[in-house]
């Protein structure tokens, strides 16, 4: 009975007979109008057990996902220096060298100009120039964007001749310069750009490393508490917060001088993210599967 009451048929019935505006309700008399068709008791048992197994599997995957997210958050605190410290509390074996501490401007330089195209000028159906919009940085992307894999809207009527001097490169980092909360300043690192044409969009600031940095390190570091605590006093605004290039330049960047240590940090965290991504997709497919069977196994 529990699963029957979660089918679309019952939801549509409830929408039809329910009453109320702010508080929606169904009376007992109306509820009694719902016609229940049941199979034999053994078939009812088999159906119930099937959905209970699906629910147990969904719960198990959700717990694994939550534990992985918690594990990642813990390592994000330990693999980068805490405020006021110059080395992290956890390091990979074989690395003992002091970390470098440099001003933002010594490590990152403005890369290319950003555009001001609105959502209405972007499309997932047409266009060849991919556009990184600040809203996607804040909501949809993690700390790096895999250009070949991640869905990125294109400039609907964009011509390469108009953007040839504004194309991003592998390893560039893009900051969202405005947000409604303290997520302003969230950054993404550009990866796997290959031969794609990608530009920096509305309310973004694009930077390019001045020195050799291992892939993925900057993406994780610039979103860690180690770096972001510096941004809090630099955010401006009340209802909408913003971060300027001038204020961003006041920050410090800490990094291992040895590229292989940067690489281990980036690869370790990226592996955790890939596991999280895989589990998230599995969980989504299980929920879709349950929804599908809820419609097919009841009449």
């Amino acid at each position: 009975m529990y699963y029957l009451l979660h089918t679309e048929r019952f939801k549509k019935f409830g929408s039809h007979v329910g009453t109320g505006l702010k508080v929606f309700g169904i009376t007992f008399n109306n509820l009694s109008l719902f016609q229940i068709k049941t199979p034999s008791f053994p078939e009812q048992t088999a159906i119930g057990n099937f959905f209970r197994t699906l629910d147990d599997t969904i719960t198990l995957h959700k717990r694994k996902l939550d534990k992985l997210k918690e594990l990642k958050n813990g390592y994000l605190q330990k693999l980068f220096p805490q405020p006021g410290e110059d080395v992290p509390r956890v390091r990979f074996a074989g690395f003992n060298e002091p970390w470098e501490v440099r001003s933002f401007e010594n490590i990152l330089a403005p890369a290319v100009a950003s555009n001001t195209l609105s959502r209405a000028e972007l499309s997932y159906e047409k266009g060849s120039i991919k556009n990184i919009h600040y809203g996607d940085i804040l909501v949809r992307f993690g700390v790096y964007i895999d250009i070949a894999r991640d869905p990125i809207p294109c400039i609907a009527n964009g011509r390469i001749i108009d953007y040839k001097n504004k194309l991003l490169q592998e390893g560039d980092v893009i900051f969202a310069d405005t947000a409604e909360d303290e997520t302003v300043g969230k950054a993404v690192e550009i990866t796997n750009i290959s031969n794609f044409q990608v530009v920096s969009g509305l309310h973004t600031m694009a930077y390019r490393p001045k020195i050799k940095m291992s892939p993925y390190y900057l993406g994780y570091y610039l979103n860690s508490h180690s770096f972001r605590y510096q941004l809090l006093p630099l955010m401006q605004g009340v209802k909408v917060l913003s971060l300027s290039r001038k204020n961003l330049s006041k920050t410090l960047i800490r990094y291992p001088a040895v590229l292989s240590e940067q690489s281990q940090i980036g690869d370790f965290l990226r592996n955790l993210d890939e596991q999280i991504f895989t589990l998230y997709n599995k969980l989504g497919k299980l929920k879709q599967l349950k929804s599908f069977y809820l419609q097919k196994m009841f009449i």
Side-chain angles (χ1 to χ4, degrees):
M1 180 63 72
Y2 171 82
Y3 291 106
L4 172 63
L5 298 180
H6 285 75
T7 61
E8 281 299 316
R9 188 167 78 88
F10 183 76
K11 290 178 183 178
K12 289 179 180 178
F13 169 80
S15 299
H16 179 69
V17 301
T19 58
L21 296 175
K22 291 185 178 180
V23 178
F24 192 77
I26 301 176
T27 66
F28 178 79
N29 287 336
N30 284 339
L31 188 61
S32 66
L33 298 175
F34 184 68
Q35 294 183 351
I36 299 176
K37 298 180 180 180
T38 59
S40 64
F41 187 78
E43 188 173 358
Q44 292 180 41
T45 302
I47 292 172
N49 288 340
F50 174 78
F51 281 107
R52 187 178 62 177
T53 299
L54 264 181
D55 274 343
D56 288 345
T57 306
I58 289 171
T59 300
L60 178 63
H61 278 68
K62 189 177 185 306
R63 286 175 181 168
K64 287 181 179 179
L65 184 61
D66 291 341
K67 286 182 179 179
L68 271 177
K69 288 180 177 179
E70 184 179 345
L71 184 66
K72 177 191 170 184
N73 287 334
Y75 276 115
L76 280 172
Q77 303 297 320
K78 296 176 181 179
L79 288 173
F80 298 106
Q82 294 295 306
E85 300 178 359
D86 291 331
V87 292
R89 297 178 181 180
V90 172
R91 299 183 76 175
F92 290 101
F95 299 107
N96 301 299
E97 298 83 354
W99 279 37
E100 299 287 341
V101 183
R102 296 287 184 268
S103 69
F104 185 94
E105 292 178 316
N106 282 339
I107 303 301
L108 293 167
V112 292
S114 303
N115 63 62
T116 58
L117 298 175
S118 67
R119 282 286 189 192
E121 297 170 277
L122 305 180
S123 172
Y124 285 97
E125 284 75 42
K126 62 178 181 177
S128 59
I129 304 171
K130 295 179 180 290
N131 187 86
I132 309 297
H133 188 276
Y134 83 103
D136 292 333
I137 294 177
L138 295 173
V139 177
R140 296 183 58 242
F141 299 130
V143 303
Y144 64 90
I145 301 177
D146 186 321
I147 301 299
R149 182 184 72 179
D150 295 330
I152 304 169
C154 293
I155 302 173
N157 299 308
R159 301 183 306 165
I160 187 58
I161 191 173
D162 297 326
Y163 294 93
K164 62 180 181 179
N165 296 323
K166 298 180 180 181
L167 298 179
L168 296 167
Q169 297 179 10
E170 186 83 8
D172 287 351
V173 291
I174 309 174
F175 294 84
D177 69 12
T178 190
E180 294 181 355
D181 54 26
E182 293 178 353
T183 56
V184 62
K186 182 174 182 290
V188 290
E189 181 177 342
I190 300 297
T191 69
N192 202 15
I193 197 168
S194 187
N195 295 320
F196 291 102
Q197 297 158 342
V198 190
V199 296
S200 190
L202 180 67
H203 285 308
T204 65
M205 299 180 291
Y207 286 87
R208 188 162 293 157
K210 289 184 174 182
I211 63 174
K212 174 69 175 176
M213 301 292 285
S214 181
Y216 304 102
Y217 176 79
L218 280 174
Y220 284 105
Y221 173 73
L222 294 173
N223 288 285
S224 70
H225 178 65
S226 178
F227 178 76
R228 287 195 56 81
Y229 87 97
Q230 300 178 72
L231 300 182
L232 294 176
L234 304 175
M235 298 175 183
Q236 298 174 313
V238 181
K239 291 184 178 180
V240 177
L241 297 177
S242 64
L243 182 68
S244 67
R245 287 186 183 272
K246 181 180 179 181
N247 281 336
L248 195 56
S249 68
K250 297 176 182 179
T251 61
L252 299 174
I253 292 181
R254 292 172 168 82
Y255 62 96
V258 180
L259 283 175
S260 56
E261 186 173 5
Q262 294 181 28
S263 179
Q264 285 211 32
I265 293 171
D267 288 345
F268 177 80
L269 292 172
R270 184 165 63 99
N271 180 58
L272 278 178
D273 267 341
E274 290 296 327
Q275 292 182 56
I276 290 171
F277 179 78
T278 300
L279 264 178
Y280 181 82
N281 282 343
K282 284 184 178 179
L283 188 59
K285 289 178 180 178
L286 280 169
K287 289 179 178 180
Q288 288 179 351
L289 187 66
K290 177 185 173 182
S291 179
F292 172 81
Y293 279 116
L294 277 172
Q295 311 316 314
K296 297 296 182 181
M297 297 185 75
F298 295 94
I299 59 173

